[in-house]
Amino acid sequence: MRFTGRLPLLSALGGRISAMVPWLTPSLCAGLRAAFQRVGFDVDGVPALLGADAHAALARDEPVPARLASVDAGSLGVLVRLFLLGDTEPAGAVADALAPVEVADAIAAGLLREAPEGLTSALDVRPHGDGVSGWWVVSDLETRPGGRRAALPADHVLGIGSASLSLAAATMRRPVGRLLDLGTGCGVQALHASRHASQLVATDINPRALALAAATFAISDVLVELRAGAWLEPVASERFDHIVCNPPFVTGPPRVRHTYRDSGLAGDTVAARLAGALPRQLSDGGVAQLLACWLHVKGQDWPDRVTSWLPHDDAVSGVDAWFVQRDVADPAHYVGTWLRDSGVDPSSPAARRESEEWLAWMAENQVEGVGFGFITLRRTGATDPTVLCEDLREPMVDPLGEEVGGWLDRVSWLREHADDAALLAARLRLAPSVVLEEVSQPGPDGWRPVAAAVRRTDGPGWRHELDSPAAALLAGCQGTLTLGELLELLAAAHDEPTGKLVAASLPGVRELVRHGLLVP
Ligand SMILES: C[S@@+](CC[C@H](N)C(=O)[O-])C[C@H]1O[C@@H](n2cnc3c(N)ncnc32)[C@H](O)[C@@H]1O
């Protein structure tokens, strides 16, 4: 498949578009894979050559330690400097390193460029892995030769960024059949998904992204069906078991300056549309996971805003939804961050104009902040779906992906035990990672306990405050007695009616199960 078209939307806006769409043929990509494997330009070989310190420095955009470490490293050193450091290398050394690929073919494909002193890379090509599998990712360069960051063209194809990695880490990795990567860009989500999905479809609106994703998949030898088009158009009548989407989620005026970040829709409409539309494309029990931004508008609670986006019609019902807010930025911080991200000098007249226009839009729309986070949607068909919004802004011990699967399981279990009698018949135990935290104040008779809480030391680190009957109940949750039996014992010990204790305890027990502190 070859994509040569120009994006009408971008052309109409007059955005600066890259001169040519690179086309790395399948045979060129197979040749690159052979060369990379031969010289060790892969997820194991590059860190082994550079060593931990230079590798970490490279990740911080500090190239000198990696350059020093690659000096006597033969062809591997040449490829590290060519692709990871953006250096110009002698043509003969590049030809040796890339054999069997012919340098002339690599130039014609748009991978390499002739420079006065040799050859330089026209694309970013880098090894990438998940600790088990290793791949190669092709994207656009973010720096000009010489290391200066340039203002990015409208069709710039982003490499693996922190948003890409956070979605990859938050993605559930349970085996599934069909998976859709919506807005694939350089193809990074589909690569990760290739480990748990048996059939992959990836879409993008940007022909350049489709061409680079095709190269990513061909070099990495991963089979992905690529489709061109906007949003869900290319898969309109299809259903998927899993959808992952890192959309162009930047919120602001409706415009497209960069396809990787701007949807052309005003504010958080892109998140609203996707949250409403993705469940329709899911098979029964299928899960969609996306990154999103949502506006904090004066006088409106953010949970009310985001939950209003869910589909409420007969065609798709019973959608479990979990909105996790990881960060909130004030408008000035938000706009400044995204201007810098697109390579614009914040003090330039162009940046000033864009910033003023953007902040004026925020003010007109009474935006007080922009939330950022993950949305998980599961099509269940249940009459009583669970819809929950949580503010989880603290750093997390573990990636969210594992937790998403656990959260969905626990939500299903709670639905099956919605009846009080069913919950009371359950045998629950405390998760092994739970600790009890007690706060005491000094008093005339020594330390006086004033508060207690249970906390998970793994996952998102959920913490729930407890009173002493609840602490006693949890101490008894060891998987032997049923919850009902424990509450009866507790009622007898405190000389209280069992019914009163049951009514007071069950809502809290449900919360503790949902957060994985109590395990059925
Ligand atoms: C933030 S990038 C994500 C790229 C990659 N999936 C990742 O995780 O790094 C968003 C991608 O969505 C694509 N995109 C933008 N508007 C789109 C639309 N209307 N329909 C489909 N894809 C779109 C962009 O071209 C870009 O590749």
Side-chain angles (χ1 to χ4, degrees):
M1 179 169 28
R2 180 165 190 171
F3 302 94
T4 49
R6 281 270 184 265
L7 265 180
L9 182 60
L10 293 177
S11 312
L13 287 170
R16 187 168 68 82
I17 295 181
S18 312
M20 73 173 276
V21 177
W23 176 236
L24 280 64
T25 62
S27 71
L28 184 101
C29 291
L32 287 172
R33 182 170 66 247
F36 294 165
Q37 287 171 337
R38 177 174 51 75
V39 307
F41 183 67
D42 55 29
V43 270
D44 298 324
V46 172
L49 169 70
L50 300 184
D53 291 350
H55 198 242
L58 188 58
R60 296 191 302 267
D61 280 337
E62 296 161 16
V64 173
R67 194 168 285 123
L68 293 174
S70 71
V71 168
D72 294 321
S75 286
L76 176 54
V78 170
L79 295 189
V80 164
R81 292 190 297 277
L82 184 74
F83 290 125
L84 304 185
L85 307 183
D87 289 359
T88 298
E89 291 292 306
V94 175
D96 289 347
L98 287 185
V101 170
E102 295 288 342
V103 162
D105 293 342
I107 294 172
L111 171 64
L112 297 181
R113 205 181 273 145
E114 284 173 296
E117 313 253 301
L119 293 166
T120 185
S121 180
L123 294 171
D124 186 301
V125 182
R126 61 185 57 236
H128 176 68
D130 64 355
V132 178
S133 295
W135 309 288
W136 292 270
V137 173
V138 184
S139 64
D140 272 323
L141 297 170
E142 296 216 344
T143 47
R144 290 190 181 130
R148 273 181 307 119
R149 195 140 198 278
L152 304 174
D155 60 349
H156 178 83
V157 180
L158 206 60
I160 306 161
S162 54
S164 327
L165 293 175
S166 67
L167 179 61
T171 301
M172 194 172 70
R173 300 282 169 209
R174 294 183 174 175
V176 291
R178 302 193 79 213
L179 180 141
L180 170 66
D181 173 14
L182 175 57
T184 194
C186 63
V188 57
Q189 304 302 335
L191 287 182
H192 282 266
S194 67
R195 295 236 301 113
H196 77 281
S198 53
Q199 204 190 341
L200 296 157
V201 176
T203 66
D204 209 288
I205 197 173
N206 180 358
R208 191 172 173 84
L210 289 162
L212 299 194
T216 292
F217 301 143
I219 301 174
S220 303
D221 203 14
V222 170
L223 192 64
V224 181
E225 191 187 332
L226 275 166
R227 305 207 195 148
W231 307 126
L232 291 156
E233 272 169 30
V235 292
S237 55
E238 295 172 46
R239 300 269 201 107
F240 295 88
D241 304 310
H242 199 170
I243 300 178
V244 290
C245 179
N246 172 7
F249 54 70
V250 175
T251 66
R255 61 178 183 208
V256 179
R257 296 262 158 87
H258 301 283
T259 34
Y260 73 82
R261 62 158 220 210
D262 303 324
S263 63
L265 301 167
D268 50 13
T269 310
V270 62
R273 294 242 178 113
L274 288 170
L278 292 182
R280 297 171 205 283
Q281 310 279 150
L282 290 172
S283 50
D284 293 337
V287 174
Q289 295 186 265
L290 63 148
L291 283 180
C293 277
W294 41 79
L295 300 177
H296 285 232
V297 175
K298 192 173 176 187
Q300 185 185 38
D301 286 337
W302 73 269
D304 290 342
R305 183 175 187 84
V306 298
T307 53
S308 73
W309 298 340
L310 296 171
H312 295 288
D313 56 63
D314 291 344
V316 54
S317 58
V319 176
D320 286 332
W322 189 26
F323 296 84
V324 173
Q325 180 164 271
R326 294 286 288 137
D327 197 10
V328 181
D330 63 77
H333 187 199
Y334 187 80
V335 168
T337 302
W338 283 106
L339 282 178
R340 261 191 302 279
D341 177 83
S342 61
V344 176
D345 170 3
S347 59
S348 68
R352 204 175 110 185
R353 268 195 310 278
E354 190 170 350
S355 176
E356 281 170 359
E357 188 193 329
W358 204 334
L359 288 170
W361 184 92
M362 295 276 195
E364 268 161 36
N365 290 279
Q366 308 209 24
V367 177
E368 295 178 330
V370 182
F372 166 81
F374 303 101
I375 306 178
T376 301
L377 306 164
R378 175 172 61 180
R379 184 171 181 155
T380 69
T383 48
D384 51 351
T386 298
V387 176
L388 213 72
C389 297
E390 293 191 76
D391 219 343
L392 296 177
R393 294 197 228 170
E394 297 297 316
M396 285 191 198
V397 189
D398 297 315
L400 199 62
E402 197 51 30
E403 200 60 40
V404 170
W407 188 89
L408 290 168
D409 289 347
R410 298 190 295 261
V411 160
S412 297
W413 188 88
L414 284 168
R415 189 154 41 233
E416 286 155 19
H417 294 75
D419 192 55
D420 285 356
L423 186 57
L424 289 169
R427 288 182 169 76
L428 303 172
R429 63 181 169 76
L430 275 174
S433 73
V434 171
V435 292
L436 177 70
E437 296 173 337
E438 288 176 312
V439 179
S440 298
Q441 280 179 338
D445 304 322
W447 291 105
R448 187 171 54 90
V450 289
V454 275
R455 184 171 63 83
R456 265 182 65 185
T457 52
D458 59 355
W462 275 300
R463 187 174 178 279
H464 288 252
E465 298 204 345
L466 299 175
D467 55 18
S468 42
L473 176 67
L474 292 194
C477 286
Q478 295 174 3
T480 43
L481 296 181
T482 65
L483 187 62
E485 288 163 345
L486 284 169
L487 285 166
E488 264 175 41
L489 288 175
L490 211 59
H494 288 80
D495 204 13
E496 279 207 43
T498 309
K500 191 176 159 206
L501 203 58
V502 165
S505 307
L506 291 196
V509 166
R510 288 199 165 88
E511 284 302 303
L512 291 168
V513 170
R514 192 176 357 261
H515 282 166
L517 286 91
L518 276 179
V519 184

